[in-house]
Amino acid sequence: QQLAFARALIATPKIMVLDEPTAALSPAKVAESFELISTLPSFGVSVLIVEQRARQALAISSYGYIMDSGKVALEGAADSLLADDRAAELYLGRGRSTAS
């Protein structure tokens, strides 16, 4: 996976679109992936990530959109979405841990 990110960075992209980058990964690899993704902005790369693990994705994001049935249900600063009781109850699952 690190190799795939390194290869993508060779082209010096301004943005990377990641669709479910943690799908089918072990918990250890999920954590490693989110850590790696969180470093991309330091290379000047913006990241658009579509991810089922919403809490973990929002934890490394500056802004988020929560989709429901193909429509934007909530949007805003990632930390605000994580703190929003309605978002937590309806879309992020119960509890406030950063693990999903």
Side-chain angles (χ1 to χ4, degrees):
Q1 183 177 21
Q2 290 177 343
L3 178 60
F5 279 107
R7 289 180 68 189
L9 290 171
I10 288 172
T12 60
K14 294 192 184 292
I15 187 168
M16 288 181 83
V17 179
L18 305 174
D19 184 14
E20 298 289 346
T22 65
L25 295 179
S26 71
K29 289 294 181 186
V30 167
E32 183 181 304
S33 294
F34 278 114
E35 185 176 328
L36 183 60
I37 292 165
S38 72
T39 67
L40 293 173
S42 68
F43 294 99
V45 179
S46 296
V47 180
L48 173 63
I49 182 172
V50 177
E51 179 61 61
Q52 291 291 320
R53 291 175 169 92
R55 285 186 183 281
Q56 289 171 290
L58 287 169
I60 64 166
S61 300
S62 57
Y63 199 86
Y65 295 88
I66 296 176
M67 306 290 290
D68 185 16
S69 300
K71 297 182 180 178
V72 176
L74 295 170
E75 71 172 282
D79 55 350
S80 295
L81 290 173
L82 284 169
D84 184 310
D85 289 333
R86 180 172 165 245
E89 181 69 26
L90 297 175
Y91 303 106
L92 304 178
R94 299 183 192 277
R96 297 254 178 178
S97 88
T98 56
S100 59

